[in-house]
Amino acid sequence: VIPAFNEAAAIARVIDQVPAYVDDVIVVDDASTDATTATAAAAGALRGVEVVTHDSNRGVGAAIVTGYRRALARAADAVAVMAGDGQMDPSDLPALLDPIAAGVADYVKGNRFQHPDVWNAMPPARIVGNLVLSAATRLTSGYRHVFDSQCGYTVASRAALTAIELDRVFPRYGYPNDLLS
């Protein structure tokens, strides 16, 4: 699932970089005002990428829920979320999928802080904000092992997605923490 909002400049590259072993790619355009939908459709035409477009901007959480629903309807066993802006490295996907495939986890989150470049690439204020929010999330959720709670690079099993009340997922920004509760 690739949530996208005004990502016409990046979406074709993101679609192109999705590993070939991924069976279905669903782009959810959250009412972009640029050419995101058309660019995604053109970039994914040969691969059979499904592009779903929201009529109004509902937020990244809502875009992901739309993608989850489409993936469940397509009988997906596991669903990964990769942002439409290209910030998530497709080569990291196996590390997120492996615990699901092995049956040891139903929901796996990436951790941007494991990459040495994050300290130079992410703005300092965002690093501090992320660390504070992640620490608060660890304290309040009980998930002490989740270092980067704000990371949206996730994989969820079908079992996890069918157990989640998708109608209750926070539609805007903040959805990653919502799924931890």
Side-chain angles (χ1 to χ4, degrees):
V1 170
I2 302 173
F5 178 70
N6 290 337
E7 297 297 350
I11 197 71
R13 180 177 33 79
V14 171
I15 291 168
D16 186 53
Q17 291 178 345
V18 173
Y21 58 81
V22 174
D23 295 324
D24 296 304
V25 178
I26 302 164
V27 174
V28 182
D29 182 349
D30 194 27
S32 294
T33 57
D34 66 2
T36 297
T37 293
T39 304
L46 294 177
R47 187 166 179 179
V49 170
E50 179 179 359
V51 181
V52 180
T53 304
H54 286 171
D55 292 333
S56 61
N57 182 267
R58 297 177 1 208
V60 69
I64 290 169
V65 166
T66 295
Y68 282 162
R69 287 180 192 212
R70 289 299 308 137
L72 288 170
R74 294 174 84 158
D77 294 319
V79 182
V81 175
M82 297 177 73
D85 62 3
Q87 69 173 296
M88 297 164 180
D89 187 346
S91 68
D92 291 336
L93 188 55
L96 297 173
L97 284 170
D98 287 347
I100 304 277
V104 297
D106 282 308
Y107 185 71
V108 180
K109 292 182 76 55
N111 180 355
R112 294 167 289 187
F113 293 98
Q114 288 187 332
H115 286 268
D117 294 341
V118 74
W119 304 103
N120 297 323
M122 190 182 287
R126 192 166 171 196
I127 289 173
V128 171
N130 186 300
L131 293 173
V132 169
L133 288 171
S134 291
T137 299
R138 282 194 306 278
L139 288 173
T140 60
S141 72
Y143 290 106
R144 305 272 191 271
H145 62 286
V146 177
F147 187 83
D148 186 3
S149 67
Q150 306 307 301
C151 182
Y153 200 178
T154 62
V155 177
S157 71
R158 181 174 191 78
L161 293 178
T162 57
I164 295 168
E165 292 182 56
L166 293 175
D167 288 334
R168 298 190 67 202
V169 172
F170 188 68
R172 305 303 291 177
Y173 294 91
Y175 78 91
N177 289 345
D178 195 36
L179 293 181
L180 292 175
S181 59

